[in-house]
Amino acid sequence: MSKNRVAENQYHVTCYKADTTPDKIGKNVTLIDADPTSFAKLSRIMSETKFSNLFIVMNEIEDARYVLKNIELINTKMRIVLVNQWDDDEIGKDQENITIVHTDALLAAHLYDQLPNVPLVAQNVGLGKGEIMEVHVPFGSTYAYRHIGSILQRKWKIAALYREDKQILPTNATMIKPNDTLLILGKPIVLDGVYKTINKRMGLFPEPFGKNIYLILDFRYDKQNALKYMKEALYLLDKLEEKELCVRILYQNDFALLDTLKNYESDHVSILVSYKDEELDHVITYDIHEYDIGLIMNSIPTFEADRLKDTLYTSRKLVYLFGNSSLVNTTSSVVLMSEDGKMESISSAAFDISETLGLSLTLGDFDPEGDFEGRKMIIEHYETLTHIFNMDINIEQKVANPIRELSNMQNILQIAPFEARLNGDTFRKIISSKVQDFLLTTNRHPKLLVPFAIAEN
């Protein structure tokens, strides 16, 4: 398309040195053998034809200065483009209606775009401030083998996808593959974060949700198990690389216990204390942003108190709920089949924590009615991720009640989508067979709640 537009224009090229122009030239190009530094010759040429733009591309800086002086005498309103290939920032500076293209800056910009870990942003379209970005999806990216609809897009959008020299206008069902190129739109600061997320490889748990761990101890509910929870958080910290643990103590009313907990403070462990009934949602939200939190650990009673559940859901972070069995004794992780979009969104985190902690991973497809036909796409997605992580997965399909199957398992970490409406009502537990209705009604197994993206209709 751009070539056709170029061909629609009419060009006049004036030069006076031999071998300046190519042997073959387009029909829309007229060559003029004249010295453009001559005022008389340039004035005659410009009087014969009305030009809209003037490009000055010359080897010698003195020749360019003469041409600029001539143009200024002939037509001060003409738009001029000067190619500056000299180490001189003064040339053309005082000229009206001029655009100066610096060859060194142009070359540096192209070389800069080829550097690793540098996003390619649109320079000459839109605002040119980084609100349009092109991102390559590397092998092992958390976005690889994900459907567009399973990716949370807040204040940004995947506008197009390029694969094998073809443009794809994506829908929610379009799957992103390694080596794809995404054209994304949004606020520049948001796109910078998206770029980093796409290029972060799996195996850096809890990223891309954040870097560090946040333990919430509410002394109204957690005093008896506070040391147990602290040791479990330290165990996880030890399994991760270059992470920090931030402990927030709420409703502090036991100084002896606080002193014991403070014995665990170190360069990688900090303890923050709230002594009074303050706006805890603001405190926790501040901590999450200030300390780059990716994983939040708390007990189920603490999770359900003071609307903390809503605050953490809004934060879109991983949430770990302590169970009666410790993470230290956990040998396997389990994902129970649910809705397709949610299953795909949580898959990377499931593989990531399983690999990090050395756990076997089971995908449990338990259905009382034996309806397994609609699950093929999800199973294929999880099987694909086994190649990226180089780890096996146990896929178990069974005509059974998923809650009953889960209750019979030992030493497991249950991984589930972080639903907006997790219900702790024991009455619902009696009448329901949905997994999400049982997450908060039993403490037997520890649980990892993973944010998911809701696909648009």
Side-chain angles (χ1 to χ4, degrees):
M1 183 182 293
S2 59
K3 290 183 178 179
N4 291 337
R5 289 174 179 170
V6 169
E8 291 173 358
N9 298 328
Q10 294 294 320
Y11 302 93
H12 290 69
V13 180
T14 175
C15 55
Y16 61 94
K17 292 185 179 180
D19 301 326
T20 302
T21 58
D23 295 333
K24 293 183 178 180
I25 202 162
K27 295 180 180 179
N28 59 332
V29 179
T30 301
L31 295 179
I32 303 173
D33 186 10
D35 183 359
T37 62
S38 168
F39 172 79
K41 293 182 179 179
L42 191 59
S43 178
R44 178 178 55 79
I45 293 171
M46 296 183 66
S47 65
E48 293 175 353
T49 306
K50 186 177 180 181
F51 297 101
S52 60
N53 295 63
L54 177 69
F55 290 79
I56 302 174
V57 185
M58 312 202 75
N59 287 330
E60 304 298 331
I61 189 171
E62 288 303 319
D63 290 346
R65 286 197 178 102
Y66 279 117
V67 173
L68 287 172
K69 289 179 181 179
N70 292 339
I71 297 299
E72 191 172 8
L73 294 172
I74 299 169
N75 186 345
T76 58
K77 296 182 180 181
M78 177 174 290
R79 179 173 177 261
I80 303 170
V81 178
L82 171 67
V83 178
N84 185 344
Q85 52 186 322
W86 313 283
D87 188 18
D88 189 324
D89 294 330
E90 296 300 318
I91 185 170
K93 184 178 179 181
D94 299 326
Q95 201 89 11
E96 293 183 9
N97 304 321
I98 190 169
T99 300
I100 301 176
V101 178
H102 295 270
T103 55
D104 288 345
L106 200 62
L107 178 61
H110 280 285
L111 291 175
Y112 180 83
D113 291 339
Q114 304 307 314
L115 293 173
N117 302 318
V118 174
L120 181 62
V121 298
Q123 300 287 342
N124 300 313
V125 294
L127 300 176
K129 296 181 179 180
E131 80 283 0
I132 304 174
M133 185 181 292
E134 187 179 281
V135 187
H136 175 258
V137 180
F139 188 83
S141 167
T142 54
Y143 276 52
Y145 300 107
R146 293 272 302 274
H147 288 96
I148 299 290
S150 74
I151 297 171
L152 186 67
Q153 298 175 56
R154 280 183 171 179
K155 298 183 179 179
W156 70 283
K157 191 76 174 176
I158 300 175
L161 183 151
Y162 297 91
R163 179 184 301 154
E164 297 177 354
D165 296 326
K166 293 181 180 178
Q167 183 193 67
I168 299 172
L169 297 179
T171 66
N172 286 333
T174 303
M175 176 178 281
I176 300 172
K177 296 183 179 180
N179 292 323
D180 283 352
T181 297
L182 305 181
L183 184 68
I184 58 179
L185 311 176
K187 292 186 176 181
I189 190 171
V190 175
L191 296 190
D192 285 341
V194 173
Y195 175 83
K196 293 176 182 177
T197 300
I198 293 175
N199 282 275
K200 279 181 180 175
R201 295 181 179 270
M202 300 173 186
L204 298 173
F205 186 86
E207 299 181 40
F209 298 94
K211 183 179 180 181
N212 299 313
I213 305 172
Y214 188 60
L215 170 62
I216 302 176
L217 295 176
D218 188 329
F219 275 17
R220 294 175 300 174
Y221 311 106
D222 301 329
K223 282 175 63 174
Q224 184 177 351
N225 293 311
L227 291 177
K228 173 180 177 288
Y229 295 159
M230 184 71 169
K231 292 176 181 178
E232 199 164 332
L234 290 171
Y235 169 79
L236 180 58
L237 179 67
D238 185 60
K239 290 289 185 178
L240 305 178
E241 296 182 5
E242 299 180 356
K243 310 297 182 185
E244 295 182 2
L245 170 63
C246 178
V247 183
R248 168 62 71 176
I249 296 176
L250 307 178
Y251 298 99
Q252 198 292 113
N253 57 10
D254 190 326
F255 286 97
L257 178 57
L258 178 61
D259 289 340
T260 303
L261 290 170
K262 283 191 172 182
N263 289 331
Y264 292 99
E265 281 190 297
S266 66
D267 293 339
H268 301 289
V269 180
S270 58
I271 295 181
L272 308 171
V273 184
S274 295
Y275 289 96
K276 57 184 180 179
D277 186 8
E278 47 193 321
E279 294 182 343
L280 295 180
D281 56 337
H282 293 167
V283 171
I284 290 171
T285 300
Y286 173 83
D287 288 347
I288 290 172
H289 289 90
E290 178 69 17
Y291 299 103
D292 192 11
I293 301 301
L295 173 67
I296 301 160
M297 307 179 75
N298 50 201
S299 65
I300 291 178
T302 295
F303 182 64
E304 292 192 285
D306 300 328
R307 298 181 61 85
L308 178 60
K309 178 171 56 178
D310 297 333
T311 300
L312 298 187
Y313 180 82
T314 303
S315 73
R316 310 302 290 171
K317 304 295 182 180
L318 297 166
V319 172
Y320 178 89
L321 300 177
F322 293 104
N324 293 335
S325 61
S326 172
L327 188 64
V328 178
N329 301 319
T330 300
T331 57
S332 61
S333 57
V334 177
V335 178
L336 295 185
M337 190 74 77
S338 63
E339 298 175 28
D340 289 1
K342 299 174 185 177
M343 291 295 297
E344 191 172 313
S345 289
I346 71 173
S347 59
S348 296
F351 274 91
D352 214 351
I353 192 170
S354 300
E355 182 189 45
T356 299
L357 300 181
L359 308 177
S360 61
L361 176 60
T362 296
L363 177 61
D365 188 5
F366 306 121
D367 192 308
E369 299 178 0
D371 183 16
F372 305 123
E373 188 63 29
R375 314 288 173 78
K376 289 182 178 180
M377 183 178 294
I378 291 299
I379 291 175
E380 288 177 1
H381 173 74
Y382 275 73
E383 288 177 336
T384 300
L385 291 184
T386 62
H387 302 296
I388 295 178
F389 283 93
N390 194 27
M391 62 180 289
D392 296 327
I393 184 172
N394 175 36
I395 299 176
E396 188 174 349
Q397 288 186 318
K398 191 175 183 181
V399 180
N401 185 308
I403 310 305
R404 191 170 299 155
E405 290 296 316
L406 187 67
S407 64
N408 292 330
M409 297 179 182
Q410 303 289 333
N411 300 325
I412 67 163
L413 169 65
Q414 183 184 356
I415 302 173
F418 192 169
E419 304 272 5
R421 296 182 180 179
L422 293 175
N423 202 312
D425 185 2
T426 53
F427 176 74
R428 182 182 288 269
K429 178 180 176 182
I430 298 173
I431 62 174
S432 175
S433 62
K434 293 183 178 180
V435 176
Q436 59 266 32
D437 290 331
F438 287 77
L439 287 171
L440 303 184
T441 60
T442 174
N443 292 330
R444 183 174 185 183
H445 307 299
K447 304 169 183 69
L448 181 69
L449 305 182
V450 184
F452 63 91
I454 301 173
E456 300 173 0
N457 292 327

